[in-house]
Amino acid sequence: MANQEDVFKKLVSHCKEYGFVFPSSEIYDGLGAVYDYGQNGVELKNNIKRYWWEAMTKLHENIVGIDAAIFMHPTVWKASGHVDAFNDPLIDNRDSKKRYRADVLIEEQLAKIEDKINKEVEKARKRFGEAFDEAQFRATNGRVLEYQTKWNALHQRYSDAMNKMDLDELKQIILDEEIVCPISGTRNWTDVRQFNLMFSTEMGSTADGAMKIYLRPETAQGIFVNYLNVQKSGRMKLPFGIAQIGKAFRNEIVARQFIFRMREFEQMEMQFFIKPGTELDWFAKWKKTRLAWHKALGFGDLMYRYHDHEKLAHYANAATDIEFNMPFGFKEVEGIHSRTNFDLSQHAKYSGKKIEYFDPETRESYVPYVIETSIGVDRMFLSIMAGAYREEEVNGERRVVLALPPALAPVKVAILPLVNKDGLPEKAEEILRELRYDYTCQIEVKDSIGKRYRRQDAIGTPYCVTVDGQTLEDNTVTLRFRDTMEQERVAIADLHKIIGDSVNISSLLRKIEND
Ligand code: GAP
């Protein structure tokens, strides 16, 4: 575990050192859980968004995009339930004055018990070696069974309290479990209170009577309120989808793990409108389609798993997460939800407008059901960085390489004149002018060629083109491949052919289709 924590720390500093992610307003000591993307980060992020957007809109004829405003009429959030129910239970420690999510404190307590079980298992594995039967050990070992019973009882009590949002019971659990504040070490807790996660601001001057509006906590509502506009103007027939990428804001109480949980983040959401009664089939289909999108990146199938929800929101009749094996364990990257007709019906009720679909085949009108796929760009970014980060030993030297899928890499081709003189920089410029219409290229002249290769490896550049004296004579260059570090002498005229489509988003899209 310590090792994985180490990897995560290295990843965070790598992101800063190589211009991927910086803390926001860093010269003022940063702003909690807000981050900026640097020169390489923005390229990678844009490529992730392009991959998602094109997978949605190019591979599905019946999915179109929109770009709704962040500010929306405040009644939208009343109708969606966010004003009344988008809350986290929080608790303060009176001594440290630190604020915590009550549910997170209890979940950490559950994780501690799980750790104890895992430690017993690991100890026994070492003791018994090859002959170890983990399932049998878990089912029979006295100490493990004792911990498991404790875990089950706590989990049941916690789930019941969360389902009823019983704040007194949540506090009582914290007291009974003798959970202490990690800062002060005391159990001097306040009562548990509800905390709404939406940021609000005011629109219009106060003299005119300003209106309280919210920064959207999800992009989905921008799609729901435009359902009729898109359906009518695009003459869309069910089933059809609307995709959107945009910023969302949540005043997270516990914001940690770098860009995993942020206060300002970006979502890629798609609402798929369908005929009532067909939702479970479509839900199963979208689960598969979305996992295939993730797997096409090539990090290995074992890095992903589904987490089906047992506890469903009152409007959902199925929900699952796609989790990625982050350095801090399997964590949700994407949610797929069968949201019934809850949102459209609520907007119809609150706006007084009829929001329905007239089915030309059955000649009936109904409120469509919705399957939602919702993924955080930043979490996806983190999962890709984590999946791609590698430390290798090469001839006794350490190299850090980002084995990014070439189509997502910020720079596709680095052009490196061996020396910064003798006409080589000019030749590099000539090659750049040749390639830049198709690939994002970068010329690097400073430092030894070895150092430049290392820098390009560290940002995940799949191809390096080295220009030397021979290039001026015969128009050939050395082409170096990031992953194998193999080098080949090739004609400049062949570069296009060799690199080809491998660094373009279309190559990823084809992988999804062919799998
Ligand atoms: N419209 C449904 C919805 O918003 P969600 O599970 O709350 O569902 C969907 O969020 C996705 O948005 C998550 O799977 C995650 O990738 C991302 N996300 C949510 N909160 C986030 C946060 N505070 N920071 C970064 N990403 C977040």
Side-chain angles (χ1 to χ4, degrees):
M1 190 63 202
N3 206 4
Q4 283 300 85
E5 269 169 33
D6 224 33
V7 171
F8 186 49
K9 274 192 198 141
K10 281 186 191 167
L11 193 64
V12 175
S13 52
H14 190 86
C15 279
K16 185 169 168 214
E17 189 180 345
Y18 287 94
F20 283 92
V21 183
F22 308 125
S24 157
S25 333
E26 199 185 4
I27 56 168
Y28 294 100
D29 297 331
L31 182 67
V34 185
Y35 290 89
D36 299 337
Y37 286 83
Q39 66 278 20
N40 289 316
V42 70
E43 295 290 342
L44 172 56
K45 197 177 181 211
N46 283 341
N47 290 338
I48 294 171
K49 291 195 269 186
R50 207 166 295 135
Y51 176 41
W52 183 88
W53 188 261
E54 295 193 4
M56 284 295 173
T57 61
K58 280 190 173 171
L59 301 188
H60 303 275
E61 275 166 55
N62 56 354
I63 297 182
V64 293
I66 62 161
D67 182 21
I70 289 173
F71 292 149
M72 300 181 76
H73 194 285
T75 310
V76 166
W77 305 110
K78 190 79 192 149
S80 68
H82 285 82
V83 171
D84 297 317
F86 195 51
N87 298 318
D88 275 345
L90 69 85
I91 190 164
D92 292 304
N93 181 269
R94 290 199 186 89
D95 300 320
S96 67
K97 310 269 182 283
K98 286 278 169 202
R99 178 161 291 177
Y100 300 91
R101 264 173 65 177
D103 55 332
V104 171
L105 287 178
I106 300 170
E107 275 170 21
E108 283 172 352
Q109 184 74 358
L110 283 164
K112 274 187 197 156
I113 305 174
E114 266 176 76
D115 272 356
K116 284 184 183 159
I117 297 176
N118 291 337
K119 274 198 187 119
E120 291 296 329
V121 172
E122 285 320 306
K123 260 195 328 208
R125 191 190 306 284
K126 275 197 194 125
R127 214 170 44 238
F128 294 113
E130 293 274 297
F132 182 58
D133 180 342
E134 184 177 330
Q136 197 195 352
F137 181 78
R138 282 180 184 270
T140 53
N141 178 268
R143 202 168 285 165
V144 168
L145 288 176
E146 197 184 303
Y147 287 138
Q148 193 60 54
T149 309
K150 197 165 176 233
W151 188 95
N152 291 347
L154 177 57
H155 187 256
Q156 189 58 52
R157 202 176 158 197
Y158 165 61
S159 302
D160 290 347
M162 285 299 283
N163 281 338
K164 292 188 224 134
M165 254 310 152
D166 184 340
L167 304 183
D168 293 338
E169 173 67 352
L170 285 176
K171 179 172 180 186
Q172 200 52 51
I173 296 175
I174 289 171
L175 295 178
D176 292 348
E177 289 293 317
E178 303 186 344
I179 295 173
V180 297
C181 164
I183 309 283
S184 67
T186 71
R187 285 182 243 148
N188 193 5
W189 296 111
T190 62
D191 285 343
V192 178
R193 282 169 295 141
Q194 290 283 32
F195 176 79
N196 192 286
L197 297 183
M198 281 197 295
F199 284 101
S200 64
T201 185
E202 291 190 341
M203 183 177 267
S205 72
T206 350
D208 288 340
M211 175 163 62
K212 181 175 177 182
I213 53 165
Y214 298 97
L215 272 71
R216 65 180 177 200
E218 63 170 11
T219 58
Q221 298 303 325
I223 295 179
F224 288 124
V225 300
N226 277 297
Y227 157 77
L228 273 185
N229 284 336
V230 174
Q231 194 269 320
K232 290 204 155 59
S233 62
R235 299 197 294 163
M236 308 298 287
K237 284 207 169 72
L238 250 58
F240 77 92
I242 304 179
Q244 176 171 223
I245 300 179
K247 290 271 182 153
F249 305 82
R250 295 181 190 179
N251 197 2
E252 301 280 0
I253 305 166
V254 183
R256 346 170 255 208
Q257 282 157 334
F258 191 40
I259 54 173
F260 183 79
R261 196 175 300 285
M262 303 158 87
R263 296 202 165 99
E264 174 180 340
F265 58 101
E266 214 164 347
Q267 287 185 316
M268 306 188 280
E269 297 200 294
M270 193 280 297
Q271 313 292 323
F272 199 68
F273 299 94
I274 52 176
K275 188 175 175 178
T278 63
E279 68 273 16
L280 292 181
D281 288 342
W282 280 111
F283 176 74
K285 184 183 174 302
W286 276 108
K287 253 176 91 166
K288 251 175 87 183
T289 306
R290 292 305 304 146
L291 189 62
W293 181 88
H294 287 271
K295 286 185 175 173
L297 293 173
F299 292 119
D301 293 1
L302 294 178
M303 297 300 275
Y304 304 92
R305 71 178 188 197
Y306 290 122
H307 170 226
D308 292 327
H309 290 207
E310 287 156 32
K311 178 185 169 243
L312 296 171
H314 60 281
Y315 51 79
N317 61 9
T320 199
D321 297 333
I322 293 177
E323 296 185 336
F324 184 81
N325 192 3
M326 300 273 190
F328 40 89
F330 273 96
K331 295 283 166 200
E332 171 191 347
V333 172
E334 170 156 8
I336 300 155
H337 313 121
S338 172
R339 292 180 74 130
T340 66
N341 61 5
F342 173 80
D343 301 86
L344 289 183
S345 300
Q346 284 291 100
H347 289 305
K349 184 171 137 195
Y350 277 80
S351 66
K353 309 273 183 336
K354 196 164 146 191
I355 306 181
E356 288 186 352
Y357 175 74
F358 175 72
D359 192 327
E361 275 161 29
T362 60
R363 308 204 58 78
E364 34 165 9
S365 288
Y366 49 78
V367 182
Y369 270 38
V370 171
I371 302 296
E372 164 183 79
T373 72
S374 174
I375 170 169
V377 181
D378 313 84
R379 269 191 207 179
M380 191 60 205
F381 186 108
L382 182 59
S383 72
I384 287 169
M385 288 299 280
Y389 185 88
R390 229 160 265 177
E391 286 179 16
E392 291 175 358
E393 226 8 62
V394 184
N395 303 330
E397 254 187 67
R398 179 175 159 268
R399 103 164 166 150
V400 173
V401 57
L402 277 189
L404 291 170
L408 300 187
V411 177
K412 313 299 186 196
V413 186
I415 306 167
L416 315 173
L418 195 59
V419 289
N420 194 13
K421 56 182 182 184
D422 302 336
L424 299 190
E426 291 76 8
K427 191 71 186 168
E429 284 284 339
E430 201 183 302
I431 299 172
L432 174 82
R433 281 196 295 276
E434 179 78 11
L435 297 180
R436 67 180 171 193
Y437 300 103
D438 297 300
Y439 313 119
T440 312
C441 302
Q442 190 177 76
I443 293 187
E444 257 215 291
V445 289
K446 218 170 153 275
D447 289 330
S448 73
I449 199 75
K451 275 196 180 152
R452 280 182 274 170
Y453 282 155
R454 294 286 170 273
R455 259 205 308 272
Q456 294 298 332
D457 288 343
I459 64 167
T461 307
Y463 297 103
C464 286
V465 167
T466 305
V467 180
D468 54 22
Q470 194 186 330
T471 311
L472 302 181
E473 289 162 22
D474 64 3
N475 273 319
T476 63
V477 287
T478 302
L479 181 64
R480 176 190 181 266
F481 302 87
R482 177 195 68 196
D483 296 335
T484 57
M485 292 187 289
E486 272 167 21
Q487 303 189 9
E488 237 177 71
R489 195 79 200 175
V490 302
I492 295 171
D494 288 340
L495 280 173
H496 249 118
K497 206 168 62 199
I498 299 168
I499 300 169
D501 218 17
S502 67
V503 294
N504 294 334
I505 296 292
S506 56
S507 67
L508 282 177
L509 298 180
R510 279 200 189 92
K511 265 194 204 141
I512 312 178
E513 294 266 273
N514 295 334
D515 273 354

